[in-house]
Amino acid sequence: MTTTKEFVGTLVCIQDYEDRAKEVLPAPVFNFYIDHADEGQTMKDCKKAFKRYRLRPRVLKDVSNRQFSTTVLGHPVSFPICISPTALQGFADIEGDKATARAAESLNTIMIVSHCAFFTFEDISLAAPSATIWFQIHLYKDRNLTRFFIKHAERAGFKAVVVTVDSPIMGNRRNMKRGDETMTARKEYRPRMMNCYDPNNPEVRSAIANGDIALWDYLQEQLVTSETWDGIKWLRSITKLPIVVKGILTGDSAREAIQAGVDAILVSAHGGRQLDGVLATIDALPEVVKAVKGSGVEVYIDGGVRQGTDVFKALALGARTVFLGRPIIWGLANDGENGVKKVLEIVRDEFSLTMALAGCSKLDDIKASMVVHESQYLSKL
Ligand SMILES: Cc1cc2nc3c(=O)[nH]c(=O)nc-3n(C[C@H](O)[C@H](O)[C@H](O)COP(=O)(O)O)c2cc1C
C-alpha cells in the first residue's frame, strides 16, 4: 500500500496539499476544516480576489541576493508568512498544535495558537521552546475565564494576545449543521480537548462547570453578543502583552481599534466562516492600511493566501506579513510537522521567486505601484 509519505514529494503547491488532505482525512474531518458560512461566497472570494490584482514588475534589477527576513511586532521572522489560529488541529495530525509549533520554530516564523488547541499552552511551548507563539482568544462572557487564559499564556511564554473580534456569535456553518458525523468525530476527541486546559486546575474546573459538554461547545457558549470596544480596553488593563485584533475589515473599525489601544490589526474574514458576503480581505486591506497610517499599528492579513504572488500582492498593498489558515492544516494532514514545514517552504520559495521575477531584492522594494487592480486597467482597454 502506498503511504502518505511516499506521495509527499509529488506535492508542489498548496492546492496539491489540499487535494491530498481530502484523500487522507476522514470526510467529516475534511468537511469541518473546509466549512464556511452560508454559501461560502467570502471563503471563495478571498482566494479569487488575489487574482484580480496584477503585477507590474521591474526589470534589469540585480535580484541575485534576495532578503526577506523581517520583524513582526518586533519579533524577527525569516519570511513574512506566519500561521493563523485554527481550531482542532489534532484531527489532522496526532501531534496537532505541537507539530505546528515545531515547524514554526524550525523555520523561524510566528504561530498563533487557537483557543481550541488540542494541548495545554505549556505542552505547546515545551514542544517548541524557542518558537514565537501568540495565542488567540475571544472576549468571553466569563471575564475570569478570559483572565485565566491570559495569565496562563503569559506564564507559558507566549508573546502576544490575538483577540478575535468578528465572532459575537458563531457564523452559519452549513457543514457543521449537516454533520452528525463531524460532531461524532469531534466528540471522540473530547477527553483530550478537556485536557487542554488542565481540568484539574480549580480555576478551569469552575469555568467548565458542566463536565459533560466538550470544551469546544463550552467556548462557543462563551461568545458574547453584547461585547464592545470597552472589552479591549479592559484587556489592555490586565496584560502587558501586545494586543492584536483579528477580524477587522474596514477603516472605521481600524480607527476604533487604535483608540482602544491595540498594537496590531489582522485583516481577516475568519476564512469565510463568520459573516458571509463580506469583502475579500485583500480588497479590505488598503482601507485599513490607510486608516492606521502614522499610528505605529502594524497591519497583517489572512484569507485565501495560497501562493507566493499572493504574499507579494499583500505586502505591496501594505501588509507587514500574511498568515496562513487552512494551508497549515493541509500540511499537517499530509505529514505532520514536516508537512507544515513543506507548506511554509513552498509559499516562501514562491514568494522569493516572485520577488526575483518582479525585480525586487528586498522587502522595501515591494511598492503599491507594483500591483494594479484589474478594474483599473481593463477599463482603459
Ligand atoms: C478549521 C478552521 C478553524 C479555525 N479556527 C479559528 C479559531 O479558533 N480562532 C480564530 O480566530 N480563527 C479561526 N479560524 C480562522 C483562521 O484563523 C483564519 O482567519 C482563516 O483560516 C484564514 O483563511 P484561509 O484558511 O483561507 O487561510 C479557523 C479557520 C479554519 C479553517
Side-chain angles (χ1 to χ4, degrees):
M1 208 181 85
T2 316
T3 66
T4 312
K5 281 198 169 65
E6 286 168 62
F7 277 126
V8 165
T10 65
L11 308 182
V12 302
C13 62
I14 302 309
Q15 188 61 51
D16 286 353
Y17 271 83
E18 178 174 339
D19 293 345
R20 190 70 78 212
K22 191 172 182 180
E23 287 175 26
V24 301
L25 289 175
V29 171
F30 183 80
N31 289 342
F32 167 74
Y33 291 139
I34 206 71
D35 206 1
H36 48 71
D38 297 340
E39 294 179 339
Q41 182 189 11
T42 297
M43 180 182 75
K44 292 174 213 151
D45 199 40
C46 277
K47 240 161 60 161
K48 272 197 239 150
F50 278 101
K51 300 184 198 329
R52 299 198 286 260
Y53 293 85
R54 308 295 164 83
L55 298 167
R56 302 178 69 243
R58 315 186 314 170
V59 294
L60 290 180
K61 302 288 174 187
D62 179 354
V63 289
S64 52
N65 181 16
R66 294 181 300 286
Q67 169 60 251
F68 40 77
S69 60
T70 183
T71 59
V72 179
L73 272 183
H75 300 288
V77 290
S78 299
F79 43 82
I81 303 160
C82 305
I83 300 175
S84 277
T86 48
L88 310 188
Q89 294 192 1
F91 287 160
D93 175 76
I94 192 76
E95 286 287 281
D97 315 272
K98 291 200 287 184
T100 305
R102 285 191 202 104
E105 179 181 49
S106 74
L107 293 181
N108 193 28
T109 188
I110 293 171
M111 171 192 185
I112 308 175
V113 172
S114 161
H115 72 145
C116 282
F118 262 63
F119 297 95
T120 63
F121 293 156
E122 283 80 1
D123 284 341
I124 298 169
S125 65
L126 279 175
S130 56
T132 303
I133 305 181
W134 299 353
F135 68 103
Q136 175 265 322
I137 54 162
H138 296 263
L139 289 164
Y140 304 109
K141 211 178 282 174
D142 179 350
R143 283 278 195 262
N144 285 333
L145 180 69
T146 316
R147 191 194 305 269
F148 169 78
F149 278 144
I150 304 276
K151 296 298 157 198
H152 208 52
E154 281 173 353
R155 281 201 295 274
F158 290 5
K159 302 289 187 229
V161 46
V162 178
V163 193
T164 299
V165 291
D166 58 17
S167 309
I169 194 166
M170 198 156 92
N172 187 30
R173 316 265 171 97
R174 289 193 177 171
N175 285 353
M176 185 160 284
K177 276 186 164 174
R178 280 188 194 106
D180 285 339
E181 283 185 287
T182 310
M183 294 310 214
T184 310
R186 203 151 54 73
K187 286 201 166 93
E188 278 167 24
Y189 282 84
R190 178 187 296 179
R192 295 184 57 217
M193 288 166 60
M194 296 298 283
N195 285 343
C196 292
Y197 299 107
D198 182 6
N200 294 321
N201 182 310
E203 282 165 292
V204 178
R205 221 175 16 221
S206 69
I208 305 167
N210 179 356
D212 281 343
I213 57 169
L215 182 61
W216 197 84
D217 293 332
Y218 173 76
L219 290 177
Q220 305 317 309
E221 285 167 17
Q222 282 290 325
L223 298 180
V224 49
T225 43
S226 56
E227 194 55 81
T228 68
W229 287 104
D230 286 343
I232 301 290
K233 289 179 194 154
W234 169 78
L235 201 60
R236 182 70 294 161
S237 73
I238 65 155
T239 183
K240 294 210 167 12
L241 288 176
I243 296 175
V244 182
V245 276
K246 173 175 185 284
I248 300 281
L249 289 167
T250 68
D252 284 345
S253 294
R255 279 183 284 273
E256 288 181 301
I258 294 168
Q259 276 166 17
V262 308
D263 299 280
I265 290 174
L266 175 45
V267 174
S268 174
H270 212 116
R273 292 160 88 85
Q274 285 301 107
L275 178 60
D276 196 29
V278 297
L279 60 177
T281 49
I282 190 68
D283 290 334
L285 177 67
E287 183 182 320
V288 173
V289 168
K290 194 170 162 206
V292 308
K293 203 162 183 232
S295 68
V297 164
E298 295 187 351
V299 179
Y300 322 128
I301 182 175
D302 76 14
V305 178
R306 297 294 181 270
Q307 52 192 351
T309 51
D310 299 340
V311 182
F312 187 95
K313 290 170 185 175
L315 266 58
L317 293 175
R320 189 159 185 91
T321 184
V322 304
F323 283 78
L324 304 179
R326 292 183 185 84
I328 299 301
I329 290 174
W330 309 148
L332 271 180
N334 278 281
D335 201 12
E337 174 189 343
N338 196 38
V340 176
K341 273 162 66 179
K342 281 296 298 177
V343 157
L344 288 164
E345 283 166 352
I346 285 172
V347 183
R348 177 200 65 194
D349 293 350
E350 288 174 348
F351 174 59
S352 173
L353 185 66
T354 307
M355 283 181 70
L357 293 171
C360 298
S361 56
K362 53 187 189 311
L363 294 179
D364 281 349
D365 292 339
I366 305 174
K367 307 275 189 220
S369 59
M370 298 187 73
V371 295
V372 58
H373 192 270
E374 64 178 16
S375 60
Q376 284 173 36
Y377 74 90
L378 288 178
S379 61
K380 292 186 193 131
L381 293 180

